[in-house]
Amino acid sequence: MKESTGVLLLDIEKAFDGTWHDGIIFKMKNYNFPLYLSKIVHSFLRNRKFQVSVEKKLSNVADIKYGVPQGAVLSPIIYNIYTSDAPDIDDCIRALYADDTALYKVQS
C-alpha cells in the first residue's frame, strides 16, 4: 500500500502521583458523568493516608492530597478522565491507557 506510520510513545513519569482530586471531580461534572459515579470516585480518593517505615521507625501519618492509588482497578480510568482534555494534534490519532500515550499518523 506504500504507506508509512509515524509513532510517538509517551510514558509520563509519576503521573498517578500528581493527579489533582478536585480537578477529577470537576471534570467529571463538566463531562456530565452521573452524580453517583462522581460520588464513588470522590469516596475512593478522599481520606487516604500514608506512613513510612525506615529501619523499624515509623514516620508521622500524613494525608494524601494528590494522586490515585497505583494498582487499583479504578486508577487508570480516573487518570484517563483527568487527562482527557489534552489538546489534539492535527491529523494524529491519540491512544491512551493510564499514563501511556501513543500518537500516530499514517501517511500515504
Side-chain angles (χ1 to χ4, degrees):
M1 294 176 63
K2 300 202 184 225
E3 293 180 331
S4 60
T5 302
V7 178
L8 174 65
L9 301 171
L10 304 169
D11 185 5
I12 301 171
E13 185 176 336
K14 298 188 180 192
F16 283 10
D17 296 342
T19 308
W20 180 38
H21 296 173
D22 290 340
I24 294 165
I25 302 305
F26 176 81
K27 288 179 182 189
M28 290 181 77
K29 287 179 184 176
N30 279 351
Y31 292 136
N32 296 316
F33 276 78
L35 183 59
Y36 75 92
L37 287 178
S38 296
K39 286 182 177 183
I40 289 170
V41 169
H42 183 260
S43 176
F44 176 71
L45 296 174
R46 71 180 176 152
N47 297 325
R48 290 189 171 268
K49 302 189 180 303
F50 72 96
Q51 187 174 40
V52 178
S53 173
V54 177
E55 295 181 6
K56 298 183 181 180
K57 293 186 179 184
L58 293 175
S59 70
N60 293 330
V61 175
D63 293 326
I64 298 175
K65 298 179 182 178
Y66 300 95
V68 293
Q70 292 190 19
V73 174
L74 279 179
S75 295
I77 298 165
I78 293 170
Y79 185 77
N80 281 345
I81 293 167
Y82 186 65
T83 59
S84 63
D85 57 355
D88 288 326
I89 297 174
D90 292 341
D91 300 326
C92 285
I93 298 169
R94 180 176 51 187
L96 302 170
Y97 180 74
D99 63 338
D100 297 315
T101 301
L103 298 171
Y104 62 95
K105 180 178 179 178
V106 178
Q107 186 74 31
S108 300

